[in-house]
């Protein structure tokens, strides 16, 4: 088993002042922590189908995640048929790794099931009119998906989330015959990592104190702003170091790339209509 | 290590026709799968502080989750100070277990950091005007939180999500001094389970084929509708069996309870203003 210090160092990268990782303290490592900390997005898959029972275990892991008030406001579609998977891939940013993966799961916010229970018991379902319920469903679906991902990785499989499932939401809903009040939020490609491809790597993240704050957000005074700017500059440096080691020394800085990723309507790759599609699909957003 | 069959049986419960679980097939169990499948919400904590370094490991696990385009559109506030935690508990449904937990983490959608990178690089940040970015941030925060939960459980800790962090969103934002474009989505209470309290239990979930469908949603014809109705009836039965074993034989059926949980504006416990608060806080929802 890897020691926690080296896992943390890979996760936070290196700046000119050394490792950006927090100290590992005295927490005992375990295989689950190792699986979590070593996560990397895998985009090169062997074509082999998954072992029988794999989808059932991923499903059980997903369903084992917490769900708000046990309402279970999510659903998923597991696609394995090559022709259908290829069409889904086309709609999801036309990404070849989705076609290559033996399993592509589309996770959905699902308020259709609750609509059924309301009809069954003659209640008005007024709560369904509010953005709150879309929020709840998106959270439920995401907790479930992350458990499926961790389960897959514990079995030696690789996975990659596909936010591009929101790029052409009308067409994807049509392809999958989604009913009203169900919307695809993201995909998850799953398969056995191709040992012949360049190995996926652990990508450094922002410094811990940039992301998780203590007790309150902290004052928005000048010293805090300086701290934030220093954190972003250090992260630009850590990612540049990482990219150089990966042979991508010419990659733009994170702050630059992230600013451009959301600069224009076009940079959303079609997702500017997502709210409109949600409303078409029967999600009320009061 | 528990065998997968018994873990699956606990997760899907029992109906009059026997176990509702899928067969475990030939997948080899591992401790991570066991941790995932045995998840239960823990609401009785020892008051002991967590071991030094625990929050750092939970944070690293959370940050190791996938994040859309590596934009890392989430933040969290880790509360351990009793007086502040008590005030947060009051705002989060006034739930005593939050006060008892040594750690209460509030997970937030965070578009403030991207606002900073846009200003830094002089880009318009037009993408931030769309519901898409709120969706992305909610998913990012949820994937992160689930990794923190799994990490905590792998360390023998217990956790409980707190959706009631959306009950009084204005007051909670004020208590935590959240800046514009940051909003609290949910909390996570973490601590050592109290061995003197009744043990938390694995709660059965809906049948697999009710939640994860194959290839497409399936026809919305009569046979499908019958299948859905049968799934919901079977789940009412499985949960009734579970509740009876827990000494709560008088609990309402799941379909009844879920229909009433969203029946009226009042049943949202204040969350009907969540969209309004999002907009006040600078989230654009085009």
């Amino acid at each position: 088993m890897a020691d926690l210090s080296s896992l943390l160092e890979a996760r936070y990268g290196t700046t000119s002042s050394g490792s950006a990782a927090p100290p590992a303290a005295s927490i005992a490592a375990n295989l689950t922590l190792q699986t979590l900390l070593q996560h990397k997005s895998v985009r090169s898959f062997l074509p082999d189908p998954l072992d029988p029972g794999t989808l059932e275990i991923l499903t059980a892991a997903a369903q084992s995640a917490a769900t708000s008030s046990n309402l279970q406001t999510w659903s998923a579609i597991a696609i394995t048929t090559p022709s259908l998977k290829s069409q889904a891939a086309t709609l999801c940013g036309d990404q070849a790794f989705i076609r290559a993966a033996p399993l592509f799961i589309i996770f959905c916010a699902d308020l259709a099931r609750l609509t059924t229970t309301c009809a069954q018991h003659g209640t008005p379902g007024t709560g369904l009119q509010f953005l709150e319920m879309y929020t709840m469903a998106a959270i439920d679906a995401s907790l479930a998906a992350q458990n499926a991902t961790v389960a897959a990785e514990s079995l030696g499989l690789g996975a990659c989330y596909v936010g591009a499932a929101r790029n052409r939401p009308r067409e994807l809903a049509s392809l999958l015959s989604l009913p009203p009040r169900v919307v695809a939020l993201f995909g998850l490609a799953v398969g056995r990592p191709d040992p012949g491809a360049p190995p996926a790597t652990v990508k450094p993240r922002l410094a811990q104190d940039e992301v998780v704050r203590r007790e309150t957000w902290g004052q928005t005074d000048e010293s805090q702003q300086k701290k934030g700017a220093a954190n972003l500059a250090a992260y630009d440096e850590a990612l540049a170091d990482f990219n150089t080691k990966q042979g991508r020394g010419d990659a733009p800085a994170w702050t630059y790339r992230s600013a451009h990723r959301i600069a224009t309507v076009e940079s959303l790759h079609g997702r500017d209509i997502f709210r409109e599609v949600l409303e078409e699909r029967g999600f009320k957003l009061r």
Side-chain angles (χ1 to χ4, degrees), chain A residues 11-203:
Chain A
R11 181 52 71 197
Y12 291 95
T14 307
T15 69
S16 52
S17 52
S19 166
S26 56
I27 302 295
N30 64 55
L31 286 170
T32 302
L33 289 178
Q34 177 173 315
T35 297
L36 295 170
L37 296 177
Q38 282 188 329
H39 165 77
K40 53 212 83 158
S41 291
V42 171
R43 292 185 180 83
S44 298
F45 300 103
L46 294 178
D48 320 16
L50 302 177
D51 290 340
T54 302
L55 178 59
E56 287 78 1
I57 290 294
L58 303 190
T59 299
Q63 291 190 263
S64 295
T67 154
S68 192
S69 300
N70 195 31
L71 293 179
Q72 306 178 60
T73 54
W74 66 280
S75 283
I77 319 279
I79 309 176
T80 58
T81 307
S83 59
L84 189 65
K85 189 150 50 62
S86 179
Q87 292 176 74
T90 303
L91 297 178
C92 294
D94 199 19
Q95 299 182 84
F97 73 84
I98 299 172
R99 286 188 192 91
L103 172 65
F104 186 45
I105 311 176
I106 304 276
F107 284 87
C108 302
D110 180 346
L111 300 180
R113 197 180 293 118
L114 288 184
T115 305
T116 303
T117 66
C118 289
Q120 182 183 345
H121 292 284
T123 56
T126 306
L128 292 172
Q129 296 178 10
F130 291 87
L131 181 69
E132 157 63 15
M133 292 305 297
Y134 169 65
T135 298
M136 182 191 285
I139 295 169
D140 265 13
S142 304
L143 302 184
Q146 187 55 19
N147 261 17
T149 299
V150 174
E153 293 178 349
S154 84
L155 291 168
L157 302 171
C160 187
Y161 280 97
V162 178
R166 300 191 297 280
N167 285 14
R168 293 171 68 181
R170 284 192 187 102
E171 293 91 331
L172 189 61
S174 171
L175 179 69
L176 303 176
S177 304
L178 300 184
R181 296 197 175 173
V182 174
V183 74
L185 291 173
F186 52 83
L188 186 72
V190 182
R192 203 163 290 285
D194 180 356
T201 42
V202 167
K203 188 177 280 191

Side-chain angles (χ1 to χ4, degrees), chain A residues 3-13 19-25 37 208:
Chain A
D3 70 291
L4 283 181
S5 295
S6 62
L7 294 170
L8 291 169
E9 280 167 26
R11 181 52 71 197
Y12 291 95
S19 166
L37 296 177
Q208 289 211 336

